[in-house]
Amino acid sequence: AQKVTQAQTEISVVEKEDVTLDCVYETRDTTYYLFWYKQPPSGELVFLIRRNSFDEQNEISGRYSWNFQKSTSSFNFTITASQVVDSAVYFCALSEGGYGGSQGNLIFGKGTKLSVKP
Amino acid sequence: KAGVTQTPRYLIKTRGQQVTLSCSPISGHRSVSWYQQTPGQGLQFLFEYFSETQRNKGNFPGRFSGRQFSNSRSEMNVSTLELGDSALYLCASSLETSGGSDTQYFGPGTRLTVL
């Protein structure tokens, strides 16, 4: 069965600290997709990144970076030099299925609430 | 390009009533999915529509239903509301051109309170 685990329920850091949000997933499929979303207090889920199971390259986007390791079934997210505006709940999600598979079934972790204090 | 829009943003109903929520996807997006978010259960998948057909369904009772129109707009309906249906209902749309899991873009949600 598919499952996404975000073991860190809440993290609090001081501005400019680096912080890593952990995500561990379970799936039997060889083709799958992993996502990170940010949910600020307004409630809307904001898309951050999508990776497919065949692309283990790490990715960096500004202060954000992602480390995908199939060997440990992990897809961790690091924010460098955190800012107050990074305060939000962050969700890791998994979607299975290859070509022609259904699009809709995102399996979400429980989320990690990040608080960045000035 | 406008994002996913959902109406209404807030709704208060009483037990036993029914409710209809609306979602307009990003222009050109053909797939619409619905999710329920509660503090206890987190984000859970309700159903997905593509070309006016329900293609995938989560583990929710039959009181939860939906539909999609020819312009890809979608509605979801909850009948005989229960207190436990109080939640944030999120709609997401995706482009779906080549199969696989396209990125889903979410709307702001409808916060439903059942009294």
Side-chain angles (χ1 to χ4, degrees):
Chain A
Q2 324 94 298
K3 186 179 178 182
V4 175
T5 301
Q6 294 181 256
Q8 305 149 308
T9 306
E10 290 193 44
I11 299 176
S12 183
V13 299
V14 176
E15 210 170 18
K16 297 185 183 176
E17 282 186 28
D18 298 347
V19 58
T20 296
L21 310 182
D22 298 333
C23 172
V24 174
Y25 62 92
E26 294 177 30
T27 177
R28 294 179 193 170
D29 275 19
T30 55
T31 302
Y32 53 90
Y33 300 81
L34 295 165
F35 303 81
W36 276 95
Y37 286 88
K38 173 183 180 180
Q39 188 175 43
S42 59
E44 182 172 345
L45 282 170
V46 178
F47 166 72
L48 295 177
I49 189 171
R50 166 182 180 261
R51 306 295 288 185
N52 71 55
S53 52
F54 300 109
D55 183 2
E56 281 193 79
Q57 273 195 326
N58 292 334
E59 181 152 341
I60 298 174
S61 176
R63 296 183 297 107
Y64 295 171
S65 63
W66 291 269
N67 181 273
F68 177 24
Q69 291 196 329
K70 287 177 74 171
S71 61
T72 55
S73 297
S74 66
F75 186 42
N76 296 337
F77 173 31
T78 297
I79 302 175
T80 302
S82 60
Q83 299 176 0
V84 173
V85 293
D86 295 328
S87 297
V89 181
Y90 291 86
F91 290 93
C92 180
L94 164 72
S95 180
E96 294 177 333
Y99 191 94
S102 174
Q103 306 292 299
N105 196 10
L106 280 174
I107 307 298
F108 284 90
K110 292 294 189 185
T112 297
K113 182 178 181 180
L114 174 65
S115 297
V116 182
K117 302 192 186 311
Chain B
K1 191 183 266 192
V4 177
T5 58
Q6 292 186 246
T7 57
R9 293 291 312 278
Y10 301 92
L11 207 47
I12 299 175
K13 293 285 188 179
T14 56
R15 278 181 297 176
Q17 288 187 308
Q18 77 164 16
V19 66
T20 299
L21 312 181
S22 181
C23 172
S24 292
I26 293 171
S27 177
H29 283 197
R30 300 162 67 194
S31 172
V32 173
S33 300
W34 289 89
Y35 295 82
Q36 181 196 64
Q37 185 177 25
T38 60
Q41 299 300 316
L43 278 154
Q44 294 185 288
F45 171 72
L46 280 157
F47 27 65
E48 181 219 356
Y49 286 87
F50 176 75
S51 291
E52 301 178 63
T53 301
Q54 186 181 89
R55 192 164 62 173
N56 199 2
K57 189 177 189 304
N59 189 24
F60 278 82
R63 299 185 297 106
F64 291 81
S65 63
R67 58 178 176 168
Q68 186 181 34
F69 302 95
S70 58
N71 60 359
S72 293
R73 191 177 70 84
S74 177
E75 288 181 348
M76 68 163 281
N77 183 277
V78 187
S79 62
T80 319
L81 284 166
E82 300 177 0
L83 295 179
D85 297 333
S86 294
L88 180 66
Y89 290 88
L90 291 160
C91 168
S93 73
S94 60
L95 190 58
E96 181 144 350
T97 54
S98 60
S101 283
D102 284 338
T103 297
Q104 296 186 34
Y105 296 92
F106 285 80
T110 294
R111 186 163 296 281
L112 171 65
T113 302
V114 182
L115 303 175

Short mmCIF file of all heavy atoms in Angstrom, two decimals, chain A residues 33 35 37 39 42-47 50 91 95-110, chain B residues 9 31 33 35 37 40-43 45 48 55-56 88 90 94 96 98-108:
data_model
loop_
_atom_site.label_atom_id
_atom_site.label_comp_id
_atom_site.label_asym_id
_atom_site.label_seq_id
_atom_site.Cartn_x
_atom_site.Cartn_y
_atom_site.Cartn_z
N TYR A 33 5.45 9.33 -8.61
CA TYR A 33 5.80 10.74 -8.61
C TYR A 33 5.73 11.26 -7.19
O TYR A 33 4.85 10.87 -6.41
CB TYR A 33 4.83 11.52 -9.50
CG TYR A 33 4.85 11.05 -10.93
CD1 TYR A 33 4.13 9.92 -11.32
CD2 TYR A 33 5.61 11.70 -11.89
CE1 TYR A 33 4.16 9.46 -12.62
CE2 TYR A 33 5.64 11.25 -13.20
CZ TYR A 33 4.92 10.14 -13.55
OH TYR A 33 4.96 9.68 -14.84
N PHE A 35 5.87 14.82 -4.69
CA PHE A 35 5.59 16.24 -4.72
C PHE A 35 5.82 16.85 -3.33
O PHE A 35 5.72 16.17 -2.30
CB PHE A 35 4.11 16.49 -5.08
CG PHE A 35 3.66 15.91 -6.39
CD1 PHE A 35 3.33 14.56 -6.48
CD2 PHE A 35 3.56 16.70 -7.51
CE1 PHE A 35 2.90 14.01 -7.68
CE2 PHE A 35 3.12 16.17 -8.71
CZ PHE A 35 2.80 14.83 -8.81
N TYR A 37 4.27 20.37 -1.38
CA TYR A 37 3.37 21.52 -1.41
C TYR A 37 3.55 22.31 -0.13
O TYR A 37 3.86 21.75 0.93
CB TYR A 37 1.91 21.07 -1.50
CG TYR A 37 1.48 20.53 -2.85
CD1 TYR A 37 1.63 19.18 -3.16
CD2 TYR A 37 0.91 21.37 -3.80
CE1 TYR A 37 1.22 18.69 -4.39
CE2 TYR A 37 0.50 20.88 -5.03
CZ TYR A 37 0.65 19.54 -5.32
OH TYR A 37 0.25 19.07 -6.54
N GLN A 39 1.51 25.01 2.42
CA GLN A 39 0.20 25.53 2.77
C GLN A 39 0.35 26.65 3.79
O GLN A 39 0.52 26.41 4.98
CB GLN A 39 -0.71 24.43 3.32
CG GLN A 39 -2.15 24.89 3.52
CD GLN A 39 -3.08 23.77 3.95
OE1 GLN A 39 -2.75 22.95 4.80
NE2 GLN A 39 -4.28 23.72 3.35
N SER A 42 -3.41 30.92 4.78
CA SER A 42 -4.58 31.20 3.94
C SER A 42 -5.25 29.90 3.48
O SER A 42 -6.43 29.92 3.11
CB SER A 42 -4.16 32.01 2.71
OG SER A 42 -3.19 31.30 1.96
N GLY A 43 -4.52 28.80 3.49
CA GLY A 43 -5.15 27.50 3.21
C GLY A 43 -4.85 26.91 1.85
O GLY A 43 -4.98 25.71 1.66
N GLU A 44 -4.49 27.71 0.88
CA GLU A 44 -4.25 27.18 -0.46
C GLU A 44 -2.96 26.39 -0.51
O GLU A 44 -1.93 26.82 0.00
CB GLU A 44 -4.19 28.34 -1.45
CG GLU A 44 -4.00 27.93 -2.88
CD GLU A 44 -4.13 29.11 -3.82
OE1 GLU A 44 -4.65 30.17 -3.40
OE2 GLU A 44 -3.75 28.99 -5.00
N LEU A 45 -2.98 25.24 -1.13
CA LEU A 45 -1.77 24.44 -1.31
C LEU A 45 -0.99 24.98 -2.50
O LEU A 45 -1.51 25.04 -3.62
CB LEU A 45 -2.13 22.97 -1.56
CG LEU A 45 -2.54 22.16 -0.34
CD1 LEU A 45 -3.09 20.81 -0.77
CD2 LEU A 45 -1.36 21.95 0.59
N VAL A 46 0.25 25.32 -2.25
CA VAL A 46 1.10 25.88 -3.30
C VAL A 46 2.11 24.83 -3.73
O VAL A 46 2.86 24.29 -2.92
CB VAL A 46 1.83 27.14 -2.78
CG1 VAL A 46 2.75 27.69 -3.86
CG2 VAL A 46 0.83 28.20 -2.33
N PHE A 47 2.11 24.54 -5.01
CA PHE A 47 3.02 23.53 -5.57
C PHE A 47 4.46 24.03 -5.50
O PHE A 47 4.76 25.17 -5.85
CB PHE A 47 2.63 23.26 -7.02
CG PHE A 47 3.66 22.51 -7.81
CD1 PHE A 47 3.88 21.16 -7.57
CD2 PHE A 47 4.42 23.16 -8.77
CE1 PHE A 47 4.83 20.46 -8.31
CE2 PHE A 47 5.37 22.47 -9.51
CZ PHE A 47 5.57 21.12 -9.28
N ARG A 50 7.89 18.63 -8.31
CA ARG A 50 7.43 17.31 -8.73
C ARG A 50 8.64 16.55 -9.25
O ARG A 50 9.41 17.07 -10.04
CB ARG A 50 6.40 17.45 -9.84
CG ARG A 50 6.06 16.18 -10.61
CD ARG A 50 5.05 16.52 -11.69
NE ARG A 50 4.67 15.37 -12.49
CZ ARG A 50 5.18 15.09 -13.69
NH1 ARG A 50 6.09 15.87 -14.21
NH2 ARG A 50 4.77 14.04 -14.35
N PHE A 91 3.70 19.85 2.92
CA PHE A 91 3.22 18.50 2.69
C PHE A 91 4.04 17.81 1.61
O PHE A 91 4.32 18.40 0.55
CB PHE A 91 1.76 18.50 2.24
CG PHE A 91 0.79 18.90 3.30
CD1 PHE A 91 0.39 20.22 3.43
CD2 PHE A 91 0.29 17.96 4.19
CE1 PHE A 91 -0.51 20.61 4.41
CE2 PHE A 91 -0.61 18.33 5.19
CZ PHE A 91 -1.00 19.66 5.29
N SER A 95 2.18 10.03 -5.82
CA SER A 95 1.19 9.61 -6.79
C SER A 95 1.76 8.45 -7.58
O SER A 95 2.90 8.51 -8.03
CB SER A 95 0.84 10.76 -7.73
OG SER A 95 -0.12 10.37 -8.67
N GLU A 96 0.97 7.40 -7.74
CA GLU A 96 1.45 6.24 -8.47
C GLU A 96 0.88 6.22 -9.88
O GLU A 96 -0.06 6.93 -10.20
CB GLU A 96 1.03 4.96 -7.75
CG GLU A 96 1.70 4.79 -6.40
CD GLU A 96 1.22 3.56 -5.69
OE1 GLU A 96 0.07 3.14 -5.95
OE2 GLU A 96 1.97 3.00 -4.88
N GLY A 97 1.45 5.38 -10.70
CA GLY A 97 0.88 5.19 -12.02
C GLY A 97 1.79 5.68 -13.11
O GLY A 97 2.41 6.72 -13.00
N GLY A 98 1.84 4.91 -14.15
CA GLY A 98 2.65 5.31 -15.29
C GLY A 98 1.79 5.95 -16.34
O GLY A 98 0.77 6.53 -16.06
N TYR A 99 2.20 5.80 -17.54
CA TYR A 99 1.49 6.42 -18.65
C TYR A 99 0.04 5.96 -18.69
O TYR A 99 -0.26 4.80 -18.62
CB TYR A 99 2.19 6.03 -19.96
CG TYR A 99 1.70 6.83 -21.14
CD1 TYR A 99 2.37 7.97 -21.53
CD2 TYR A 99 0.58 6.45 -21.85
CE1 TYR A 99 1.93 8.72 -22.59
CE2 TYR A 99 0.13 7.19 -22.92
CZ TYR A 99 0.80 8.32 -23.29
OH TYR A 99 0.36 9.06 -24.34
N GLY A 100 -0.84 6.92 -18.79
CA GLY A 100 -2.26 6.59 -18.85
C GLY A 100 -2.89 6.34 -17.50
O GLY A 100 -4.08 6.10 -17.42
N GLY A 101 -2.09 6.38 -16.45
CA GLY A 101 -2.68 6.14 -15.14
C GLY A 101 -3.51 7.30 -14.68
O GLY A 101 -3.40 8.41 -15.17
N SER A 102 -4.32 7.05 -13.71
CA SER A 102 -5.17 8.10 -13.18
C SER A 102 -4.34 9.21 -12.56
O SER A 102 -3.33 8.97 -11.94
CB SER A 102 -6.11 7.51 -12.13
OG SER A 102 -6.85 8.54 -11.52
N GLN A 103 -4.76 10.41 -12.74
CA GLN A 103 -4.02 11.56 -12.26
C GLN A 103 -4.33 11.91 -10.83
O GLN A 103 -3.55 12.58 -10.18
CB GLN A 103 -4.38 12.78 -13.12
CG GLN A 103 -4.18 12.56 -14.58
CD GLN A 103 -2.72 12.41 -14.90
OE1 GLN A 103 -1.96 13.31 -14.68
NE2 GLN A 103 -2.33 11.26 -15.43
N GLY A 104 -5.49 11.49 -10.34
CA GLY A 104 -6.05 12.21 -9.21
C GLY A 104 -5.62 11.82 -7.83
O GLY A 104 -5.82 12.56 -6.89
N ASN A 105 -5.01 10.65 -7.67
CA ASN A 105 -4.89 10.14 -6.33
C ASN A 105 -3.57 10.50 -5.67
O ASN A 105 -2.63 9.71 -5.68
CB ASN A 105 -5.08 8.63 -6.36
CG ASN A 105 -5.36 8.09 -4.99
OD1 ASN A 105 -5.59 8.84 -4.06
ND2 ASN A 105 -5.33 6.78 -4.86
N LEU A 106 -3.50 11.70 -5.12
CA LEU A 106 -2.32 12.09 -4.36
C LEU A 106 -2.47 11.56 -2.94
O LEU A 106 -3.48 11.77 -2.30
CB LEU A 106 -2.19 13.61 -4.32
CG LEU A 106 -1.58 14.32 -5.53
CD1 LEU A 106 -1.67 15.82 -5.36
CD2 LEU A 106 -0.15 13.89 -5.76
N ILE A 107 -1.42 10.88 -2.48
CA ILE A 107 -1.37 10.42 -1.09
C ILE A 107 -0.49 11.40 -0.34
O ILE A 107 0.71 11.54 -0.65
CB ILE A 107 -0.78 9.01 -1.00
CG1 ILE A 107 -1.49 8.05 -1.94
CG2 ILE A 107 -0.82 8.52 0.45
CD1 ILE A 107 -2.94 7.85 -1.66
N PHE A 108 -1.06 12.07 0.66
CA PHE A 108 -0.32 13.08 1.38
C PHE A 108 0.20 12.56 2.71
O PHE A 108 -0.42 11.71 3.36
CB PHE A 108 -1.23 14.28 1.69
CG PHE A 108 -1.49 15.18 0.52
CD1 PHE A 108 -2.57 14.95 -0.32
CD2 PHE A 108 -0.66 16.25 0.25
CE1 PHE A 108 -2.82 15.77 -1.40
CE2 PHE A 108 -0.91 17.09 -0.83
CZ PHE A 108 -1.98 16.85 -1.66
N GLY A 109 1.35 13.11 3.12
CA GLY A 109 1.78 12.93 4.49
C GLY A 109 0.96 13.84 5.40
O GLY A 109 0.13 14.62 4.92
N LYS A 110 1.20 13.75 6.69
CA LYS A 110 0.43 14.54 7.65
C LYS A 110 0.88 15.99 7.71
O LYS A 110 0.23 16.82 8.32
CB LYS A 110 0.53 13.93 9.05
CG LYS A 110 -0.15 12.58 9.17
CD LYS A 110 -1.65 12.67 9.00
CE LYS A 110 -2.32 11.35 9.33
NZ LYS A 110 -3.78 11.40 9.06
N ARG B 9 -16.24 30.46 -0.56
CA ARG B 9 -15.04 30.24 0.25
C ARG B 9 -15.37 29.75 1.65
O ARG B 9 -14.61 28.99 2.25
CB ARG B 9 -14.24 31.55 0.35
CG ARG B 9 -13.65 32.02 -0.97
CD ARG B 9 -12.53 31.09 -1.45
NE ARG B 9 -11.58 30.79 -0.40
CZ ARG B 9 -10.58 31.58 -0.05
NH1 ARG B 9 -10.40 32.74 -0.66
NH2 ARG B 9 -9.74 31.22 0.90
N SER B 31 -8.51 17.76 -15.97
CA SER B 31 -8.76 16.87 -14.83
C SER B 31 -8.99 17.70 -13.59
O SER B 31 -8.27 18.67 -13.33
CB SER B 31 -7.55 15.94 -14.64
OG SER B 31 -7.67 15.21 -13.44
N SER B 33 -9.73 17.22 -9.38
CA SER B 33 -9.77 16.32 -8.22
C SER B 33 -10.24 17.09 -7.00
O SER B 33 -10.03 18.30 -6.90
CB SER B 33 -8.38 15.73 -7.95
OG SER B 33 -7.92 15.00 -9.05
N TYR B 35 -10.34 17.07 -2.62
CA TYR B 35 -9.74 16.54 -1.41
C TYR B 35 -10.44 17.16 -0.20
O TYR B 35 -10.89 18.31 -0.23
CB TYR B 35 -8.25 16.89 -1.33
CG TYR B 35 -7.42 16.24 -2.40
CD1 TYR B 35 -7.35 16.78 -3.68
CD2 TYR B 35 -6.71 15.07 -2.14
CE1 TYR B 35 -6.59 16.18 -4.67
CE2 TYR B 35 -5.94 14.46 -3.12
CZ TYR B 35 -5.89 15.03 -4.38
OH TYR B 35 -5.14 14.41 -5.35
N GLN B 37 -9.76 18.11 3.81
CA GLN B 37 -8.70 18.29 4.80
C GLN B 37 -9.31 18.55 6.17
O GLN B 37 -10.06 19.51 6.35
CB GLN B 37 -7.76 19.45 4.43
CG GLN B 37 -6.58 19.59 5.38
CD GLN B 37 -5.61 20.68 4.98
OE1 GLN B 37 -5.98 21.63 4.29
NE2 GLN B 37 -4.36 20.55 5.39
N GLY B 40 -7.82 15.94 11.99
CA GLY B 40 -7.59 14.57 12.43
C GLY B 40 -7.10 13.64 11.34
O GLY B 40 -6.18 12.85 11.54
N GLN B 41 -7.69 13.73 10.17
CA GLN B 41 -7.39 12.81 9.07
C GLN B 41 -6.43 13.38 8.04
O GLN B 41 -5.94 12.65 7.17
CB GLN B 41 -8.68 12.39 8.37
CG GLN B 41 -9.66 11.67 9.27
CD GLN B 41 -9.07 10.40 9.84
OE1 GLN B 41 -8.43 9.63 9.13
NE2 GLN B 41 -9.24 10.18 11.13
N GLY B 42 -6.16 14.67 8.12
CA GLY B 42 -5.27 15.27 7.14
C GLY B 42 -5.95 15.43 5.80
O GLY B 42 -7.16 15.59 5.71
N LEU B 43 -5.14 15.36 4.75
CA LEU B 43 -5.65 15.53 3.39
C LEU B 43 -6.01 14.17 2.81
O LEU B 43 -5.18 13.28 2.71
CB LEU B 43 -4.57 16.17 2.51
CG LEU B 43 -4.44 17.67 2.60
CD1 LEU B 43 -3.04 18.12 2.24
CD2 LEU B 43 -5.46 18.35 1.68
N PHE B 45 -8.12 12.11 -0.39
CA PHE B 45 -8.64 12.18 -1.75
C PHE B 45 -10.11 11.76 -1.78
O PHE B 45 -10.48 10.72 -1.23
CB PHE B 45 -7.80 11.26 -2.63
CG PHE B 45 -8.34 11.04 -4.01
CD1 PHE B 45 -8.28 12.04 -4.96
CD2 PHE B 45 -8.89 9.82 -4.36
CE1 PHE B 45 -8.76 11.83 -6.23
CE2 PHE B 45 -9.37 9.60 -5.64
CZ PHE B 45 -9.30 10.61 -6.57
N GLU B 48 -11.87 12.07 -8.57
CA GLU B 48 -11.25 12.75 -9.70
C GLU B 48 -12.16 12.65 -10.90
O GLU B 48 -12.75 11.58 -11.16
CB GLU B 48 -9.89 12.14 -10.03
CG GLU B 48 -9.20 12.83 -11.19
CD GLU B 48 -8.48 11.88 -12.11
OE1 GLU B 48 -8.43 10.67 -11.83
OE2 GLU B 48 -7.93 12.35 -13.13
N ARG B 55 -13.18 9.19 -12.66
CA ARG B 55 -12.16 8.22 -13.04
C ARG B 55 -11.55 7.52 -11.84
O ARG B 55 -10.97 6.46 -11.96
CB ARG B 55 -11.08 8.92 -13.86
CG ARG B 55 -10.12 7.99 -14.55
CD ARG B 55 -9.35 8.73 -15.61
NE ARG B 55 -8.56 9.82 -15.07
CZ ARG B 55 -7.70 10.52 -15.79
NH1 ARG B 55 -7.52 10.23 -17.06
NH2 ARG B 55 -7.02 11.51 -15.26
N ASN B 56 -11.67 8.14 -10.70
CA ASN B 56 -11.05 7.57 -9.51
C ASN B 56 -11.82 8.07 -8.30
O ASN B 56 -12.32 9.21 -8.29
CB ASN B 56 -9.58 8.02 -9.43
CG ASN B 56 -8.75 7.15 -8.51
OD1 ASN B 56 -9.24 6.17 -7.95
ND2 ASN B 56 -7.49 7.49 -8.37
N LEU B 88 -11.99 21.60 5.35
CA LEU B 88 -11.61 22.42 4.21
C LEU B 88 -11.65 21.50 2.99
O LEU B 88 -11.00 20.46 2.97
CB LEU B 88 -10.20 22.99 4.40
CG LEU B 88 -9.67 23.87 3.27
CD1 LEU B 88 -10.47 25.16 3.16
CD2 LEU B 88 -8.18 24.18 3.50
N LEU B 90 -10.76 21.05 -0.81
CA LEU B 90 -9.83 21.60 -1.80
C LEU B 90 -10.07 20.95 -3.15
O LEU B 90 -10.23 19.73 -3.26
CB LEU B 90 -8.39 21.36 -1.36
CG LEU B 90 -7.94 22.16 -0.13
CD1 LEU B 90 -6.72 21.53 0.51
CD2 LEU B 90 -7.64 23.59 -0.51
N SER B 94 -5.43 19.62 -13.16
CA SER B 94 -4.18 19.29 -13.84
C SER B 94 -4.42 19.25 -15.33
O SER B 94 -5.53 19.02 -15.80
CB SER B 94 -3.61 17.97 -13.34
OG SER B 94 -4.49 16.90 -13.56
N GLU B 96 -3.02 17.23 -17.86
CA GLU B 96 -3.20 15.90 -18.43
C GLU B 96 -3.10 15.88 -19.95
O GLU B 96 -4.09 15.90 -20.67
CB GLU B 96 -4.52 15.26 -18.01
CG GLU B 96 -4.69 13.88 -18.59
CD GLU B 96 -5.38 12.93 -17.67
OE1 GLU B 96 -5.58 13.27 -16.51
OE2 GLU B 96 -5.72 11.84 -18.12
N SER B 98 -0.11 13.93 -21.41
CA SER B 98 0.69 12.78 -21.82
C SER B 98 0.57 11.58 -20.90
O SER B 98 1.31 10.64 -21.02
CB SER B 98 2.16 13.19 -21.88
OG SER B 98 2.58 13.62 -20.61
N GLY B 99 -0.37 11.62 -20.00
CA GLY B 99 -0.48 10.52 -19.06
C GLY B 99 0.52 10.67 -17.93
O GLY B 99 1.25 11.63 -17.86
N GLY B 100 0.55 9.72 -17.04
CA GLY B 100 1.39 9.86 -15.86
C GLY B 100 0.77 10.87 -14.91
O GLY B 100 -0.36 11.27 -15.09
N SER B 101 1.49 11.28 -13.94
CA SER B 101 0.93 12.18 -12.94
C SER B 101 1.34 13.62 -13.19
O SER B 101 2.40 14.06 -12.76
CB SER B 101 1.35 11.74 -11.55
OG SER B 101 0.61 10.63 -11.13
N ASP B 102 0.49 14.33 -13.87
CA ASP B 102 0.73 15.76 -14.03
C ASP B 102 0.59 16.45 -12.69
O ASP B 102 -0.10 15.97 -11.79
CB ASP B 102 -0.30 16.36 -15.00
CG ASP B 102 0.03 16.01 -16.43
OD1 ASP B 102 1.20 15.69 -16.73
OD2 ASP B 102 -0.89 16.06 -17.27
N THR B 103 1.18 17.60 -12.59
CA THR B 103 1.10 18.37 -11.36
C THR B 103 -0.31 18.87 -11.13
O THR B 103 -0.97 19.35 -12.06
CB THR B 103 2.06 19.57 -11.42
OG1 THR B 103 3.39 19.06 -11.53
CG2 THR B 103 1.95 20.42 -10.17
N GLN B 104 -0.78 18.73 -9.91
CA GLN B 104 -2.09 19.26 -9.55
C GLN B 104 -1.92 20.61 -8.90
O GLN B 104 -1.12 20.78 -7.98
CB GLN B 104 -2.80 18.30 -8.60
CG GLN B 104 -3.11 16.96 -9.25
CD GLN B 104 -3.93 16.07 -8.38
OE1 GLN B 104 -4.79 16.51 -7.62
NE2 GLN B 104 -3.69 14.78 -8.48
N TYR B 105 -2.70 21.56 -9.37
CA TYR B 105 -2.69 22.92 -8.83
C TYR B 105 -3.98 23.13 -8.05
O TYR B 105 -5.07 22.88 -8.57
CB TYR B 105 -2.54 23.94 -9.95
CG TYR B 105 -1.22 23.82 -10.66
CD1 TYR B 105 -1.09 23.01 -11.78
CD2 TYR B 105 -0.09 24.49 -10.19
CE1 TYR B 105 0.13 22.87 -12.42
CE2 TYR B 105 1.13 24.36 -10.84
CZ TYR B 105 1.24 23.54 -11.95
OH TYR B 105 2.45 23.40 -12.57
N PHE B 106 -3.82 23.63 -6.84
CA PHE B 106 -4.95 23.69 -5.93
C PHE B 106 -5.58 25.08 -5.86
O PHE B 106 -4.91 26.10 -6.02
CB PHE B 106 -4.52 23.28 -4.52
CG PHE B 106 -4.31 21.81 -4.36
CD1 PHE B 106 -3.14 21.21 -4.80
CD2 PHE B 106 -5.29 21.02 -3.77
CE1 PHE B 106 -2.96 19.84 -4.66
CE2 PHE B 106 -5.11 19.66 -3.63
CZ PHE B 106 -3.94 19.07 -4.08
N GLY B 107 -6.88 25.07 -5.59
CA GLY B 107 -7.60 26.29 -5.32
C GLY B 107 -7.50 26.66 -3.85
O GLY B 107 -6.88 25.94 -3.06
N PRO B 108 -8.13 27.76 -3.45
CA PRO B 108 -8.04 28.24 -2.08
C PRO B 108 -8.88 27.46 -1.09
O PRO B 108 -8.71 27.59 0.12
CB PRO B 108 -8.54 29.69 -2.18
CG PRO B 108 -9.46 29.67 -3.35
CD PRO B 108 -8.88 28.69 -4.32
#
